[in-house]
Amino acid sequence: LHHHLNNSKSMPELTIEYVKSELGDFDEECIFQAVLSRRNIPRINSLAQCSNLRWLDLSSNVIIRMENLEGLAQLVSLDLSNNKIAKIEGLGGLPVLERLQLRSNPIARIQDLEGLRSAQPSLRQLSLQHIDGSEFCPVCLKAEYRRTVSELCPQLTTLDSKRKGLPDLEREVRYFEESQHLELPKVEPWFDQSEFDPGDLYKPELVELYLSDETKALEAALADAKKVFAEAENALKKQLQSSSEGPVVGE
């Protein structure tokens, strides 16, 4: 009996009073978001009194069944990941539900997805595993998994974080890896070797011809410079000679 009482205490009943106590709210109509993960909750009780609830997170509990969800007319997002749910059901009473997460649940058979048929047209995002395949439900390993979900919920835009309509990159990579070797066309060079041949451009006689005018001008400038230096040198010598003789003093 003592063990039974301790076990009951550790597995709380999801009542309105419990929700208000955990969230610190006194008015259930003022509850817009309820994060109640990791509480060891075994069952979903009726939460219809939370008429304005939009986001409900019951992940990482020990819930075994999707039930008592009707009446949550404003619920947009529901997270039931990491529980013990074996079958999808109870979605018909959620008129505006857009996002449903059910990762890491023991949903194993294709027929256990049948409850998606009752989902409202508002459901756009469904996740039974991460995009990298982690935290998967066993049914995700079935070859017909994605096709079945698409048939049951044609309105989905995202399944397992992959947007519907986008190419499957993993499949494309496998296709190219497994395909035969592709024969690529021979690359033609943009320039021909002859276009880089300078031809007669660097022959000495042509270089001399091309530079003859510049050479003459340079030689003339050098001659003028030599003449100027020579004149300056003569003037400097005369000045030095005159200074050394000094002035003549009369008797």
Side-chain angles (χ1 to χ4, degrees):
L1 179 60
H2 183 266
H3 173 76
H4 176 73
L5 290 174
N6 284 340
N7 189 52
S8 298
K9 187 175 181 180
S10 63
M11 301 180 74
E13 186 177 355
L14 189 61
T15 64
I16 292 297
E17 293 306 318
Y18 174 79
V19 172
K20 290 195 293 185
S21 174
E22 289 294 298
L23 301 179
D25 285 299
F26 298 99
D27 186 351
E28 56 267 23
E29 292 186 2
C30 293
I31 299 175
F32 299 97
Q33 175 176 306
V35 179
L36 298 168
S37 58
R38 297 179 174 83
R39 300 293 206 286
N40 211 31
I41 298 170
R43 185 182 176 209
I44 303 174
N45 295 82
S46 177
L47 297 173
Q49 290 174 265
C50 298
S51 56
N52 291 311
L53 185 62
R54 287 170 170 75
W55 184 296
L56 178 59
D57 183 351
L58 291 172
S59 62
S60 301
N61 283 293
V62 289
I63 298 168
I64 62 173
R65 187 175 178 185
M66 296 174 64
E67 59 183 345
N68 297 320
L69 295 170
E70 57 276 348
L72 297 176
Q74 302 300 321
L75 191 66
V76 173
S77 177
L78 175 62
D79 191 348
L80 290 169
S81 301
N82 295 285
N83 277 285
K84 300 183 181 299
I85 298 168
K87 180 180 180 181
I88 298 178
E89 55 188 331
L91 298 177
L94 302 172
V96 297
L97 184 68
E98 296 179 6
R99 186 177 184 220
L100 175 61
Q101 300 184 70
L102 289 165
R103 295 185 298 273
S104 289
N105 276 290
I107 303 170
R109 304 176 304 171
I110 288 295
Q111 54 263 42
D112 295 331
L113 302 173
E114 188 65 27
L116 290 171
R117 196 181 299 277
S118 65
Q120 300 298 318
S122 59
L123 185 62
R124 290 288 184 268
Q125 301 177 38
L126 175 65
S127 178
L128 276 75
Q129 63 181 341
H130 283 302
I131 192 170
D132 61 357
S134 60
E135 295 191 24
F136 62 91
C137 298
V139 71
C140 297
L141 303 178
K142 300 285 187 180
E144 62 271 37
Y145 162 65
R146 297 188 69 85
R147 176 180 58 78
T148 301
V149 173
S150 295
E151 291 174 356
L152 294 172
C153 282
Q155 76 274 19
L156 285 180
T157 58
T158 304
L159 175 59
D160 301 332
S161 300
K162 293 182 179 179
R163 285 192 63 83
K164 190 175 180 180
L166 292 181
D168 187 338
L169 297 182
E170 294 180 1
R171 185 179 64 183
E172 296 295 330
V173 170
R174 286 196 303 270
Y175 170 77
F176 282 109
E177 289 178 347
E178 296 170 1
S179 63
Q180 296 180 352
H181 177 69
L182 298 177
E183 290 293 337
L184 298 177
K186 184 179 178 181
V187 178
E188 296 292 337
W190 287 7
F191 299 99
D192 187 85
Q193 182 63 32
S194 62
E195 296 181 82
F196 292 96
D197 185 5
D200 296 336
L201 184 61
Y202 294 121
K203 286 186 176 181
E205 56 270 23
L206 291 178
V207 173
E208 183 178 355
L209 177 63
Y210 292 148
L211 298 179
S212 59
D213 291 341
E214 286 76 4
T215 302
K216 291 178 181 179
L218 179 60
E219 290 175 347
L222 287 174
D224 290 341
K226 287 180 180 179
K227 182 177 180 182
V228 171
F229 281 124
E231 292 176 353
E233 186 177 6
N234 290 334
L236 181 60
K237 286 180 179 179
K238 290 180 180 180
Q239 186 176 2
L240 291 175
Q241 184 177 5
S242 176
S243 298
S244 62
E245 293 178 354
V248 179
V249 181
E251 294 182 355

